[in-house]
Amino acid sequence: MTIAPLTDLPLWPPINLDRDPLVPLDAAERHRFSGPVTRVRLPTDATAWLVTRHADVRQLLRHPGFSADLSRPGFPLLRRVAPGTPSDRRGGFIRMDGSEHSRLRRMLTAEFMIKNVRRIEPLIQQTVDRALDGLRDAGPPADLVAHFALPVPSMVICHLLGVPYADHDFFQQRSRTLIDRDAPPDRVQLHVRELRDYLHRLVETKVAAGDRTDDLLSRLARDRVDTGELAVDELVGMAVLLLIAGHETTANMIGLSTLLLLRHPARYAALRDDPGHADGLVDELLRYLSIVRTGLPRLAVQDVEIGGQLIRAGEGAIGVLSLANRDPGVFDAADEFDPYRQAQQHLAFGFGVHQCIGQPLARAELRVALVELARRFPRLRPGTEAGRLPTRDTSVVFGLDALPVTW
């Protein structure tokens, strides 16, 4: 059996001066990785099965024969860890299975239901307006990532959780370390501990004070910790997960989506003139950009056949969302950006029981941010050549470090 050296060619290769940051793979690279389930070598030198077709990825992510628990022996880790590093899953329910996972996830489900997200849309709107004021005051020219794409989701998730936004530099730096595949293991370990310690102090303060503030951490402290349903350490783990996921992914989507739309001036203008079609556009942006580029790892806990390939218990598998979202068997002209496409079948938020719980919030933030940007800055344009933009090539979540714009 041939083993493709995944370490020689990341699934979303580093950008150079000749590569477009919006093109994940060239034709030769797509041919190498797309198609039937194949065996690959991971950056850790372990091997796993690479799953790239849309139907196969859906089956992988929904099948109970696969575990998301990275503490299991043989789990296909995508980066090396420091020797003796404990697997701390407390509250991090995306790395749990079965009843352990569902117990914690259920405590958050209502918070992120569409009706509740609609209730906080005025907050999202105010946050977007404030950030756009900051972008206007900073330029032209100005960095859209620093002044808009990153502050919007950061401010929203801080408000929802009850985390002081004044500390955003602290948790953003540590968040980026935790999703950087090339970060030294000892630094990852340190930043995990620092972030947990920070949130542990915050949670304990809320628990001790019987905080009546109407934020998510205060409500969970009152309704779950005080009743004994949830341990403080579990609440801290949930806070870590929500804080990281709540701003990193959406920030990168706003930046990349803006760059893409500026290449389609008519569609950018339509956001201002006909914002009612923004929801469909958001789905196509999520499909086309697919910023979770390294794939979702799973460990087989029983023998399962995926796409005609038997994956035995104890073997790892990686579901690659970015390639599944460009499966030509599901999406016509899959490599083309079509703002009028019906792209609801995309897998940008994953699939199955671990599908992103915060997707209604992410969709709302992306829609409001892009519509208001087009309305307030109708003559926005990139301030530099696309190929020269600094990109986050080693991050689990692909994005731009900066997007200079002018108007």
Side-chain angles (χ1 to χ4, degrees):
M1 180 181 297
T2 300
I3 297 179
L6 190 61
T7 47
D8 291 349
L9 184 63
L11 293 178
W12 200 316
I15 305 302
N16 56 43
L17 295 181
D18 299 320
R19 182 182 290 279
D20 185 337
L22 300 178
V23 177
L25 297 168
D26 65 26
E29 294 160 350
R30 283 183 58 81
H31 178 74
R32 184 179 184 189
F33 289 110
S34 298
V37 176
T38 55
R39 194 82 160 170
V40 295
R41 191 178 304 280
L42 302 179
T44 59
D45 290 331
T47 59
W49 295 100
L50 192 71
V51 184
T52 64
R53 293 184 296 205
H54 190 274
D56 296 342
V57 172
R58 281 168 58 106
Q59 184 184 359
L60 169 70
L61 297 180
R62 74 183 173 202
H63 200 290
F66 289 95
S67 171
D69 183 354
L70 54 74
S71 69
R72 287 179 178 266
F75 192 90
L77 298 173
L78 299 178
R79 66 179 175 190
R80 299 183 187 279
V81 297
T85 299
S87 178
D88 190 345
R89 301 180 306 133
R90 293 168 293 175
F93 55 87
I94 63 169
R95 292 304 181 196
M96 297 176 178
D97 303 319
S99 59
E100 185 183 28
H101 164 262
S102 59
R103 177 179 72 88
L104 296 178
R105 185 181 174 103
R106 276 198 304 266
M107 295 182 187
L108 294 172
T109 300
E111 298 286 345
F112 293 100
M113 291 175 65
I114 293 175
K115 65 178 183 180
N116 284 337
V117 171
R118 287 177 179 155
R119 179 175 54 83
I120 65 167
E121 277 209 18
L123 165 68
I124 298 173
Q125 182 71 53
Q126 293 167 11
T127 303
V128 167
D129 289 341
R130 190 182 319 157
L132 287 173
D133 289 343
L135 179 67
R136 177 201 62 205
D137 295 343
D143 178 8
L144 184 129
V145 170
H147 295 288
F148 183 60
L150 187 55
V152 167
S154 294
M155 284 190 281
V156 171
I157 197 64
C158 282
H159 180 88
L160 293 181
L161 293 181
V163 174
Y165 181 70
D167 297 331
H168 67 277
D169 283 341
F170 171 84
F171 62 73
Q172 283 170 4
Q173 290 171 7
R174 280 142 190 85
S175 295
R176 292 202 167 186
T177 297
L178 302 190
I179 61 174
D180 184 351
R181 291 179 294 118
D182 285 357
D186 55 348
R187 186 195 302 163
V188 173
Q189 196 172 4
L190 172 64
H191 283 190
V192 168
R193 185 169 63 250
E194 289 178 342
L195 191 55
R196 283 195 68 99
D197 288 347
Y198 166 81
L199 288 168
H200 198 284
R201 290 192 297 271
L202 181 64
V203 166
E204 284 196 321
T205 299
K206 292 177 181 291
V207 171
D211 198 338
R212 297 296 169 187
T213 306
D214 189 30
D215 62 67
L216 177 55
L217 295 184
S218 294
R219 288 197 297 275
L220 288 172
R222 288 194 308 268
D223 301 340
R224 305 291 185 173
V225 175
D226 287 352
T227 61
E229 296 177 73
L230 188 66
V232 169
D233 277 348
E234 289 178 320
L235 179 53
V236 170
M238 293 167 76
V240 171
L241 172 61
L242 294 173
L243 190 60
I244 294 174
H247 74 271
E248 283 289 346
T249 50
T250 308
N252 287 320
M253 272 302 302
I254 292 173
L256 285 170
S257 296
T258 300
L259 176 62
L260 178 57
L261 288 170
L262 293 181
R263 297 186 183 180
H264 297 263
R267 190 56 203 167
Y268 181 70
L271 272 176
R272 178 189 69 243
D273 301 331
D274 190 13
H277 290 290
D279 286 329
L281 173 63
V282 164
D283 273 319
E284 174 65 352
L285 289 167
L286 288 162
R287 180 201 73 85
Y288 185 81
L289 295 171
S290 297
I291 59 174
V292 179
R293 61 185 182 131
T294 54
L296 300 182
R298 296 290 187 266
L299 181 72
V301 294
Q302 64 186 65
D303 293 354
V304 183
E305 186 176 302
I306 300 286
Q309 174 63 55
L310 179 64
I311 301 178
R312 298 189 181 278
E315 295 181 334
I318 311 290
V320 188
L321 305 182
S322 57
L323 292 179
N325 280 341
R326 296 203 179 196
D327 186 337
V330 178
F331 304 102
D332 293 335
D335 285 331
E336 296 179 9
F337 171 63
D338 178 2
Y340 302 102
R341 185 195 305 273
Q342 297 298 308
Q344 292 88 344
Q345 296 183 70
H346 70 78
L347 302 177
F349 292 112
F351 193 70
V353 296
H354 286 91
Q355 190 174 41
C356 175
I357 196 172
Q359 63 175 292
L361 176 62
R363 289 175 186 275
E365 289 178 326
L366 188 56
R367 171 175 49 81
V368 174
L370 294 176
V371 168
E372 289 304 308
L373 180 66
R375 187 181 68 82
R376 293 269 301 270
F377 293 83
R379 294 182 177 141
L380 194 72
R381 62 185 186 276
T384 187
E385 296 179 30
R388 298 182 182 274
L389 292 172
T391 52
R392 301 183 60 195
D393 301 311
T394 64
S395 175
V396 172
V397 182
F398 182 75
L400 302 173
D401 271 328
L403 177 55
V405 292
T406 190
W407 55 91

